[in-house]
Each structure stands twice: as C-alpha cells, then as structure tokens.
Amino acid sequence: MVRSGGEPMPTGPAHLRERFLQGEPVARGGVRGSILDSWRRCRSLGLSPDQADPPFHDDFDPDGRIVRAAAPVLDRLQARYSGTEINISVADATGTVLLRRFGEASLAARLPAFQRVPGFMFAERFAGTNGIGLALADRRFIRVHGAEHFAERSQQNACVALPVRDPLSGRIEGVLCFGYPRAADSPALGIVLRRAVRAVERRLLGESSARERALLRAYLATGVDTADGPRRGVALDEPALGLHPRDRALLLERAAELLSRGQRAAVAVTLSDGRRVTLVSRPTASASGVAGLAIEVVVPGPAAPGGLGGPEVAVPHQGEALPEFATAPTVLAAVSRLARLTAAAPPRPAPTTPTATDGGVTIDGRRTGPPPSTRTERTGRTGRTGPPPPTPPPSTRGLLLVGEPHVGAYAVAARRRLELLSEVGARIGTTLDVRRTVGELAETSVPRFADYVTVDLPEPVLRGEESADPLADLVRTVVHGIRDDLPFTPVGQRIVFGPTAPQVRCLTTGRAELEPDLKVAAGWLAQDPEHTERLLAHVHSLIAVPLLARGVVLGVVSFYRAQDPAPFGDDDRSLAQELVSRAALSTDNARRYTRERGMVLALQRRLLPHGLPDQDAVEVAHRYLPAESDVGGDWYDVIPLSGARIGLLVGDVVGHGMLSAATMGRLRTAARSFAELDFPPDEVLGHLDNLVGRLDRDDPDGEGVGIIGATCLYVIYDPTEQRCVMARAGHPPPALVRPDGTVSYPELPAGPPLGLGGLPFDAVEIDVPPDSGLVLFTDGLIEDRNRDVDLVLDQLRGALAGHPERSPEETCEAILDSVAPAHPCDDIALLVARTHALDPARIAAWDLPPDPALVGEIRARATRQLADWGLEETAFAVELILSELVTNAIRHGSGPVRVRLLHHRSLICEVSDSSNTAPHLRQAGSNDEGGRGLFLVAQLARSWGTRHLPEGKVIWAECGLDAA
C-alpha cells in the first residue's frame, strides 16, 4: 500500500486501529480476523476506546468451584514468575475476575483498581477487545497484543488467555489469563498457559466422584450404537452460544428433574426466543455396576453454519486454534473420537487418579481418543487416510447431564428448597405492614412447601407493640391454603391453644415442633377435640414454628400438609425454621415501623385543628390522609379574622417522620399567630420565611440539612366585599369553583419555598361571588411518580366542574375518590370552603370629614341603625366606643374618616383613616388628662385591634349582642 506521492503507507495494527476508529474500511490482511471481528462487535455495542473502568460486582462467590480448582495453580505460577511484571487472573464464565496474582508485589500498587482487584467484569460487551472477553467470545486460545486492544489504556500491554472447561460436561467454567508489558511477549507464555489450564481442569475433574466418571465412560462407550452412525456429542455451552442465561438454567433444571425420575423419557422445552429443543433421558450402566441416566439435548433439523439444528441455533464453534494448540477436553470431542476407536481400544486398568490430556478425555485411566492432529480415517478399500466428507446429521444430539437418579432427586429437592428460600427473601417484606408481611410468608409457602398455613399474632404486635403474654392474646391473622373451605379458625378471632399443643411448645422452647402424624398427636388433638376432628379429614401433618426476632415473640406459624401423602420430616422442619426466621426479621421491622408511625401520626393529628371555628363567612370541610409509607408534615387551618373575614391556610413541610411533624406544629402555630395579628397574606409568608430560616440556624442537630422546602398557601376571604386576597410560597394554587360550575386556577405568583430568605412574596386580590368554592390542597394530592401533574390538575378540574350544588363534604369525598392516588406516597391535606356573603342590610357605613363636630352626628346615626337591627341594648356601649375611636381618628389620624358597623355573630365597629400610626393601650396616670379612651374601649368590647391597609389603618372593636 502506497500513498499518492509514492510513499509507503503504514499498515501496522496501531495504524489500522486508528483507521477503524475513524470509520474507514479495514481488511483482514493487517489485522487478525478474530481481532477485527471483536472491534466490529465493540463498535456495534457503542463502546468507546476512552471508556471508563469496567463494571464492578461484589456479589461473586470467592469460594466457588473454579476458584478452589485454580487457586493452587495460580500460587505456583506466581512463584514461577516472581520478580516479573506479569499479572495472572482467573475469571468466571461471565468475565468477572475472581482471582489475581502478581509476579512482582509492587505491581499491584502501581496498577489501577480494575487491574488488581477481583470483581471487575471483562466481558467484551463491557471492556472491549481484551484477553478474557475474547477468549469467552471465541471459546479458544487468544493472544491480544498492543494496539489489538480496543481500549486506549491497554495499548502498551499484551495478554494470552484460554478458557477452562469442565472435563465432564465440557462447559466453560472460566478463563485463565496472563497479562504483561507489550515488550515482554514470548511464545513460551502460551505453552505455560495451556499447561496451567490443563492443571486446573484436572483439579476440576478430581472434584467429581468416581461413580460419575464411571457413568460418563459408560455413556461414551455406547456412542457407536446409533442408527445414524456415531453420535455427535455436544456440551451445554456449545449450543448455548446463542442462548440467554435464563435458557441455560432452564435446560439444566429440566435435565435434573428428568434425572431424578429414574426412567427413560423425553421432554420438549421451549426457549425464551420460541425455539424448541428436546431433552432425552437414556439409561446407562458402568462395568462396575453403577446405574444411572444420561440426559441428552436434541436439536431437530440439520446443522448448518451459523446455526445448531437449523439457522436459529448456533453450531459448535470451531475456533482459530494454533497448530500446536489442543483445546481443553470436551464431551464433544470425546464422543466423536470414541466412536471411531471403540473397537481398537479395549478397556485398560484404571489408575488411582484421574487425568486430563491435550486431545482427549481420560477418565479413570481410559483415554477416549488421541489428539486431533493424530487421528486417522479409513475410507473405502484403498487404505487412503483423510477426513471423511462432511455429512450434516438430521439432528444434533449431545450430552447435557449424567448421574444417578437418587443423587438427582436430592439435587432437585435441594435446588427447590434454595429457590424457595430465595423467593422468600425476595417476596417477604415488600411493605412495612405486619399483616401483609406474614401474609406474604403464607402465600410463598403454599403450595410449594405446605398446603395450608396459619399465622397467629398477639394483638399488641398488630399495633406495633411488644406482647407481655403472647399466649394470652393471640389473634388469627392469616389463613391461606389450596382451598378456602377448611374449618380453620377464621381471621380476626382470638386463638387459645391447649397447654400441650405444638404451638405452645414451640413458643416455650423457641424451636420448630414437628407432628408428622396428627392422628396420634395428643397435644394437638386435645386443644379442641371437635375442631381438630373436623380438620383431620383434610390435614395429616403439622410443623409449628415460633415467630421470633431480636428476642421478641411475634407469634406462631403453623404449616399443614394435606395432599402430599408423605408427612413432614426433619428436613422440612429445618426448612420451616429457616423460612420463618427470614420472615420474622421483616415482620419485626414492620412492627417497629407500625409503632413509630403510630406515634408520629398521633403527634400529627394532635397538632392539626381538632375542630373548626364558628363563623358565617364560609362553610368548610377538610381531610387529612397520611402517606402509606410514612407520615409527613402537611397541615391546614381555618382562622377567624377581624371584620367577619376568614383566613384559610394550607402548608407542607418536606420530609417524613417525627421531625417533619414537629416542624409542622411549630409552623402552624406561628402562621396562626401572624394571621391573628391581621397581617396580609404576603406579610404572613414573609414572617414565616424568616422563622424557617431561624429554625434552621438554631437547630443544633440539623447538621446543615435544614427544612427548606416547606410550602404554604394563605387565603383571606372577606364576606362583606366578596373578595379574596391570597399568596403562596412554592405551593400549588387553589382551585376556584364559581357558582355556574366553571373551575379555574387563579394566576398566583408561585413565590419561593419558605426558608430561602430575602425573596418577596406577592399577593393577588380576586372577586369571589357568593356560593363559590375554594379548594386548597397539598402536593400529595396531585404529585405522584406515575402521574403527570398537568393531567392530574385537569382531572381535578373535571371532578369539580358542573357540580356547584355539592356541599364541601361531598366535594371532599369526590376529590379523594377520583383524584387522590390509590397508594399515596405523600401526605394529603385538603380544605374545601364554600363562600357566603354578608347581607348588605347588616352593613352600615358612613364617610365623614375630619371634623370633631361630627362625632355627635355619628353617634346618632349609629343609635338609629342599632334600633333598626333591634339592638337597642347595645347602643350605650357602641356610642362610647365610636366616640372614642372617631375622636382619635380625627385628632391623631389624617384624611377622611370612615365608620362601619357590621351586624354579624357580634356587633363590629370599625373606624378607618389614611394614617399608618396605630394607637397603643397604656395605663394613664392619676394626673394625666388623656390616655383613658382605649382603656375604656377595651373594657366595653370583647376584643379590639388594628388592621393595616395598603393606605391607612382600621381600628376595630367587637361587642357582644347582649352588651349593655
């Protein structure tokens, strides 16, 4: 290859890699085919050469089969390469590194973590082209040198890797890999690697029993007896090249079940992608009399390139092996060679130890075939040697599993028990509800372990407490089984066991009690003879297990067997004990949570209003729904204000638990205090904002977390003018339902959440006709991880529209039924108010100039108005109050003076002017000529105060209607 100017173009791997990364075509001439294929796979996976470290998993088994077999071999290799920069690693079949060894101790400190710590995954889909990943992908000896690595960080390194196979099944158990600087590459490393892999495989073979090896040898010896000629064996990992791990596990599970049956059978298995394979069990027996079964996998259809048994299934991969390289022994090679050599290779005595060789399987000293390079084929009569012509079989058949039925039965039972324990760990404790947790235990156990399960818990445990006497207050909590018509004591009833019942014994001893035959179980029969006699028609065996956790007795679980004729045994008792022990921790967690949640909920409800004040401005209904998981800091309040007005407050403190509930109580108290001082909504929010900031700063245990995020909405409704003034601090706006049934959300500035400090709040004033609805709510009503807020607001609009006749109570129910989430993850506070207007005939107002001479005229007008309202008995007090307030407004105020009388639940006198100076009550001295007016007003009125306006103020006094 030359450049346009005649200069030769570089063609080394580094240059070709750069061309490949830039998207230019690269032929196989300068790059080995396996490397180029790996690069292409990496690019299709979207990997980057500058990628981060491969993923790390800390849940690998540090004492697995491959680790036990490889650890001594790696120790010898480490001693052999002491003082060199070689690093040796063993990975499992997923590419997760399990072991690391280093020739030079200081090398571990210089390498990055992913090259020295077990647990990192080097599968090709994560780490790109590398020794471990490519050995798993190509299933053969691999050498990766310098620029052949896909990752940029590995360009100065080289490695050799070889899969480690199980000599019995042929499955790839892992990969052994040597890594070293690029300049230290040597052909000798490949030879040492192969010998090391064979040593590991010998150790793997040594872990199998002599009976297993004898059965495998007997199976291989029968390989010539098929009608179609020699049987092609194939290990599970060979057809599984295109299988999902779920399918591999499924095949092994079904094979173990076939083995446990102990009879010849065939089972069709459908894989996850729709393909169907057949598992066939064949009896086999060794020369020494060991009888067992061989489970074969049969894939129908002719084998073709790219597919095993047809285009959908992969054929056994034939890798690009080096001439001197013999792959790890597999059943695939052993069966085909054995078919040709059986007649000429009589049995030989077995040595004491099993060995594995380069080209065949040696089991108990019997070699199944020579290396591939030495085998010969004789065809016709000419004596010619050479490979036979390829003739694809009608189906591909290979060994999947071999063993003895009773061993298989134990394996199936053990696997099912492990699966049950695993499922218990996954299914139990999904909620923090005591009843639901023990119910999950029963649902998981039926029918896989028992036919019926009952759970009895003390009543205090259901409330979250500890029981002082568990036997005295047991309540049937769960009854679950394969049928619903058995005469078990129903849920909710109190349970009393006899003194010798298994349930009592297990609570006394703290251990599971087994009654294999209930017909002779005296203690169980004696507790309630009539009831137990009815049950004996259905159940025959019982295990009673105490539900104990952290030294607390939580109850008792009873497992009954009915359909299975075999009674419970000691193994079942151990399994029941383990099941209940795992469930007990989750149950105790739920009990503790129930207790804490009950305390927080009690505090929350104690801090919320216990009743609504008597007033005529609005008709109010309210709801508070705690979250399912925990209690938060939502609150509401209804506050009567001066001038017959009413204040509506809704707030939310972020977080959950006791701290949020306590903070909510402090904020609600402060908000009510600020509101009763007659501050407008924006000023109330400003004061609350300052308070939250102080709470954060003064909290010694806050650790800087703070409660920023508290929100609030404050609405003041004036029934005399039918207007609302409202402001919000990061809170959802209210919904306004007008008398014609239309619904709107007022355009109200959001404002920052409370606690940010320094940012103003804006108030908005809107007209609200009588019989309108105001709906205030917290974000728990509309915000949910599975719902869009805008869609929920539209849903709320639909629930409110078109029903102006509803009462506030009915509106609350409609909102909770149609809008609230079924399982709220946050608290919901809801406040619904229907507005009313004060009858104009009950309002009297006069405007007058600041002239002291008009004080008498105002008194006369007020007296006549009170006579019209039938309140003559209050005239004396009202005359004195108005005289003092009007005189002070004329003398100390400015601008025009306005006087207003409101005939409400009480008689309210208001005097307003344009001055912002507010009067203060003081104690006048004996020689003072003034200062007694407000004191007189305070004595005559129930209450009095000052309300500031945007321009001026209002002095008001409230008198009882029976004042004289």
Side-chain angles (χ1 to χ4, degrees), residues 327-345:
T327 59
T330 66
V331 178
L332 170 65
V335 173
S336 59
R337 287 194 293 271
L338 180 65
R340 293 188 295 270
L341 300 174
T342 302

Side-chain angles (χ1 to χ4, degrees), residues 9-25:
M9 181 179 293
T11 59
H15 174 73
L16 294 177
R17 176 178 174 274
E18 291 300 323
R19 291 184 56 196
F20 176 82
L21 295 178
Q22 294 173 8
E24 299 181 19

Side-chain angles (χ1 to χ4, degrees), residues 336-342 344 369-379 383-388:
S336 59
R337 287 194 293 271
L338 180 65
R340 293 188 295 270
L341 300 174
T342 302
S373 58
T374 63
R375 67 187 180 202
T376 63
E377 295 288 346
R378 300 189 179 274
T379 60
R384 218 168 16 96
T385 62

Side-chain angles (χ1 to χ4, degrees), residues 471-508:
L471 287 174
D473 49 15
L474 284 175
V475 176
R476 178 57 50 87
T477 307
V478 173
V479 176
H480 185 71
I482 57 178
R483 289 170 51 188
D484 298 330
D485 57 348
L486 261 65
F488 286 104
T489 303
V491 173
Q493 289 193 11
R494 190 171 295 276
I495 300 294
V496 178
F497 292 109
T500 58
Q503 290 83 354
V504 175
R505 297 202 310 268
C506 78
L507 289 176
T508 303

Side-chain angles (χ1 to χ4, degrees), residues 356-646:
T357 62
D358 291 353
V361 176
T362 301
I363 302 174
D364 291 344
R366 176 173 294 182
R367 184 176 176 82
T368 60
S373 58
T374 63
R375 67 187 180 202
T376 63
E377 295 288 346
R378 300 189 179 274
T379 60
R381 303 178 182 177
T382 61
R384 218 168 16 96
T385 62
T391 303
S395 63
T396 302
R397 175 190 296 260
L399 179 64
L400 182 62
L401 192 64
V402 64
E404 298 175 82
H406 67 278
V407 177
Y410 287 139
V412 170
R415 188 189 72 246
R416 289 176 176 173
R417 295 187 179 205
L418 288 175
E419 290 174 352
L420 180 58
L421 290 174
S422 176
E423 185 173 348
V424 165
R427 289 189 57 184
I428 294 181
T430 58
T431 66
L432 289 173
D433 181 82
V434 175
R435 286 184 173 86
R436 182 57 192 154
T437 300
V438 294
E440 290 169 342
L441 169 63
E443 293 169 3
T444 307
S445 303
V446 174
R448 299 174 61 179
F449 176 66
D451 296 315
Y452 297 94
V453 176
T454 64
V455 182
D456 306 311
L457 303 182
E459 194 171 358
V461 171
L462 296 173
R463 299 194 304 266
E465 306 296 332
E466 296 183 11
S467 176
D469 187 3
L471 287 174
D473 49 15
L474 284 175
V475 176
R476 178 57 50 87
T477 307
V478 173
V479 176
H480 185 71
I482 57 178
R483 289 170 51 188
D484 298 330
D485 57 348
L486 261 65
F488 286 104
T489 303
V491 173
Q493 289 193 11
R494 190 171 295 276
I495 300 294
V496 178
F497 292 109
T500 58
Q503 290 83 354
V504 175
R505 297 202 310 268
C506 78
L507 289 176
T508 303
T509 63
R511 299 188 303 271
E513 292 291 330
L514 169 65
E515 292 289 357
D517 188 357
L518 290 178
K519 292 181 180 180
V520 297
W524 184 80
L525 293 171
Q527 61 181 341
D528 187 350
E530 181 180 356
H531 182 236
T532 54
E533 184 177 355
R534 295 198 307 271
L535 275 177
L536 277 178
H538 305 280
V539 299
H540 61 79
S541 188
L542 163 69
I543 299 176
V545 188
L547 196 63
L548 302 173
R550 303 182 179 98
V552 179
V553 177
L554 303 175
V556 60
V557 183
S558 302
F559 299 94
Y560 295 88
R561 181 164 286 179
Q563 288 189 336
D564 190 343
F568 283 124
D570 290 333
D571 289 343
D572 297 313
R573 175 168 51 186
S574 300
L575 177 59
Q577 184 82 57
E578 181 66 22
L579 289 174
V580 176
S581 297
R582 297 193 180 195
L585 291 176
S586 297
T587 305
D588 191 49
N589 290 338
R591 179 192 66 83
R592 291 167 175 252
Y593 169 77
T594 301
R595 180 186 60 189
E596 295 178 3
R597 186 175 187 272
M599 296 171 57
V600 176
L601 187 58
L603 173 63
Q604 173 86 337
R605 295 193 181 280
R606 189 67 181 172
L607 295 174
L608 289 173
H610 293 273
L612 298 178
D614 293 332
Q615 45 81 36
D616 295 328
V618 293
E619 180 186 355
V620 180
H622 57 87
R623 295 288 188 277
Y624 171 74
L625 272 69
E628 281 193 349
S629 59
D630 207 347
V631 180
D634 292 19
W635 52 278
Y636 61 89
D637 210 345
V638 179
I639 307 169
L641 301 175
S642 64
R645 298 171 306 139
I646 195 74

Side-chain angles (χ1 to χ4, degrees), residues 176-401:
L176 178 61
C177 180
F178 292 172
Y180 43 87
R182 188 172 62 181
D185 195 8
S186 169
L189 290 174
I191 299 174
V192 175
L193 176 67
R194 296 188 193 98
R195 291 175 178 172
V197 166
R198 289 195 291 273
V200 175
E201 289 173 343
R202 284 194 297 272
R203 292 182 57 83
L204 286 174
L205 185 63
E207 293 189 7
S208 61
S209 68
R211 299 173 69 91
E212 290 175 325
R213 296 194 295 272
L215 284 176
L216 179 62
R217 186 175 67 248
Y219 167 81
L220 297 177
T222 62
V224 298
D225 297 331
T226 63
D228 299 323
R231 177 181 290 109
R232 294 181 60 209
V234 57
L236 173 63
D237 67 301
E238 299 294 353
L241 285 175
L243 290 183
H244 190 278
R246 185 168 57 246
D247 292 330
R248 304 185 194 182
L250 175 63
L251 290 179
L252 282 175
E253 177 182 351
R254 297 295 176 83
E257 292 175 355
L258 274 177
L259 179 63
S260 66
R261 296 176 186 174
Q263 59 186 1
R264 190 184 188 101
V267 175
V269 180
T270 302
L271 304 180
S272 59
D273 56 3
R275 292 178 292 175
R276 292 175 63 86
V277 299
T278 303
L279 298 182
V280 179
S281 61
R282 295 179 56 249
T284 184
S286 69
S288 59
V290 180
L293 290 176
I295 312 300
E296 298 173 333
V297 56
V298 180
V299 182
L308 180 60
E312 294 183 346
V313 188
V315 297
H317 185 79
Q318 307 297 328
E320 300 175 356
L322 298 178
E324 73 277 8
F325 168 60
T327 59
T330 66
V331 178
L332 170 65
V335 173
S336 59
R337 287 194 293 271
L338 180 65
R340 293 188 295 270
L341 300 174
T342 302
R348 289 178 291 181
T352 56
T353 58
T355 61
T357 62
D358 291 353
V361 176
T362 301
I363 302 174
D364 291 344
R366 176 173 294 182
R367 184 176 176 82
T368 60
S373 58
T374 63
R375 67 187 180 202
T376 63
E377 295 288 346
R378 300 189 179 274
T379 60
R381 303 178 182 177
T382 61
R384 218 168 16 96
T385 62
T391 303
S395 63
T396 302
R397 175 190 296 260
L399 179 64
L400 182 62
L401 192 64

